[in-house]
Amino acid sequence: MIQPTQPEVPQPAAPLQQLLDSAVHEAHFAANVSVDGTALCLTVYSSEAPFDRSVDAATAWMNSTGIDGTAACNETGSVVLTVATAAAVHQLIAVLLDPYIRAHTTATQVADLLQAHDLTGGSTVSGAHAIEVTLADDDLDAAIGFATLLGAPGIGAGLDLGRPEGLLGLADRIKWLATGVIGSEIYASADPGCVHAPEQITLQLTIEQARTLLQRHAGFDQMSGAAT
């Protein structure tokens, strides 16, 4: 006689506390993880949460993203998301925290690229889907060096970089250079600086654009190595 298949018992969420804690840390997401019996609670403090600070908004977001759990507000007005199963923990990480982890990882890779070539500047995360790349020094070597990494070493030719219009012209050239390399338009701005701050060119890229830029640069490096 064939015995009926027993339904699989969902694994509890609580044993994944460390996993959720680590994801919160890697995402630089302001939140706290706590255990409630076999469930996990995520108290959200971040202003970058993808839902308004209300139970209704958080509940609607969880429903729309397939997270099996509940939402409530604590005594300080913070939203608390409670998930009872391991599957719900993994889904919460995937939809809430993984985009921020990816953004911070990409920003770090861009910053490492600049540092590896002794270019003054850095990159910062702008939400879960974009980063800003800054190229900042008084003689604009960082901006010109960045263009060299993308295959345009003479990008400043014919520009008077000691004047604001020259800086704006350089920013515009770098914008279109990066746009061509990436394959989609980016945004660039220029700041002439002051006594206390250097000249600066800022590029705004989506995470996908930044990752494409890193891939293109890696390709340029491989071609350069093959040529030598």
Side-chain angles (χ1 to χ4, degrees), residues 22-195:
S22 296
V24 167
H25 177 73
E26 291 177 38
H28 298 256
F29 193 80
N32 179 67
V33 179
S34 59
V35 177
D36 182 9
T38 61
L40 286 179
C41 301
L42 184 71
T43 303
V44 178
Y45 305 118
S46 176
S47 61
E48 297 180 338
F51 47 80
D52 293 334
R53 196 167 173 168
S54 72
V55 172
D56 287 345
T59 300
W61 175 79
M62 293 178 80
N63 291 337
S64 70
T65 53
I67 299 171
D68 184 12
T70 60
C73 273
N74 64 13
E75 62 278 2
T76 65
S78 297
V79 170
V80 181
L81 309 179
T82 300
V83 289
T85 67
V89 174
H90 288 296
Q91 182 68 357
L92 180 61
I93 291 172
V95 298
L96 178 63
L97 301 174
D98 276 351
Y100 288 99
I101 293 173
R102 190 165 183 257
H104 282 282
T105 299
T106 302
T108 298
Q109 291 171 337
V110 173
D112 288 346
L113 173 64
L114 298 179
Q115 185 175 11
H117 292 274
D118 296 321
L119 302 180
T120 306
S123 62
T124 56
V125 171
S126 301
H129 305 292
I131 67 170
E132 286 190 351
V133 180
T134 56
L135 307 164
D137 51 22
D138 285 325
D139 53 12
L140 296 173
D141 282 349
I144 293 172
F146 180 79
T148 301
L149 296 182
L150 301 184
I155 198 166
L159 296 175
D160 184 353
L161 299 180
R163 299 179 64 82
E165 55 267 29
L167 175 62
L168 291 171
L170 180 62
D172 195 53
R173 290 184 183 183
I174 290 177
K175 168 188 173 176
W176 292 113
L177 169 66
T179 292
V181 168
I182 293 168
S184 59
E185 187 174 352
I186 70 162
Y187 178 78
S189 61
D191 186 337
C194 62
V195 175

